[in-house]
């Protein structure tokens, strides 16, 4: 998935979930309708953020990705096996694009 690094940072640091039911939210793209109330299970004060969903931890993960994983992009590209999709599209479109690739 092709995704701009800064867009990834914004996604990660804004993400939180309900520890009661697991519903996932984002402060910008999918906030809860009422402050501190889960839309799904109506739990109050049940929101939490993963310990590593902060900017410092995420940037470390990003550096590790570029060091350890990104070299595979060139390897698979050279073999003609690389398929890329836009990772910033909505979930439904992204899912469809992944399925199209897997059906080849
Ligand atoms: Zn909930």
């Amino acid at each position: 998935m092709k995704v701009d690094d800064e867009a990834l940072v914004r996604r990660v640091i804004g993400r939180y979930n309900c520890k009661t039911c697991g519903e996932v939210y984002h402060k910008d793209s999918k906030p809860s309708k009422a402050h501190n109330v889960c839309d799904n299970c109506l739990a109050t004060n049940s929101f939490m953020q993963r310990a590593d969903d902060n900017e410092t931890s995420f940037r470390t993960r990003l550096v590790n990705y570029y060091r350890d994983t990104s070299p595979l992009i060139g390897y698979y590209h050279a073999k003609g096996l690389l398929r890329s999709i836009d990772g910033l599209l909505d979930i439904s479109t992204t899912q469809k694009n992944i399925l199209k690739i897997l059906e080849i």
Side-chain angles (χ1 to χ4, degrees), residues 38-102:
C38 178
D39 299 344
N40 189 48
C41 73
L42 303 179
T44 57
N45 298 316
S46 188
F47 294 141
M48 61 172 282
Q49 197 167 29
R50 281 177 33 174
D52 60 348
D53 275 355
N54 63 69
E55 187 166 354
T56 301
S57 292
F58 184 72
R59 288 195 186 276
T60 299
R61 287 158 48 199
L62 206 51
V63 167
N64 292 341
Y65 163 78
Y66 281 115
R67 184 191 63 223
D68 301 335
T69 307
S70 70
L72 292 173
I73 293 171
Y75 174 82
Y76 285 110
H77 178 75
K79 291 186 166 283
L81 297 172
L82 183 69
R83 303 290 186 273
S84 296
I85 61 168
D86 184 344
L88 289 177
L89 300 175
D90 63 88
I91 292 171
S92 175
T93 304
T94 301
Q95 180 184 29
K96 287 175 189 163
N97 289 341
I98 291 170
L99 291 174
K100 273 188 225 166
I101 289 171
L102 295 176

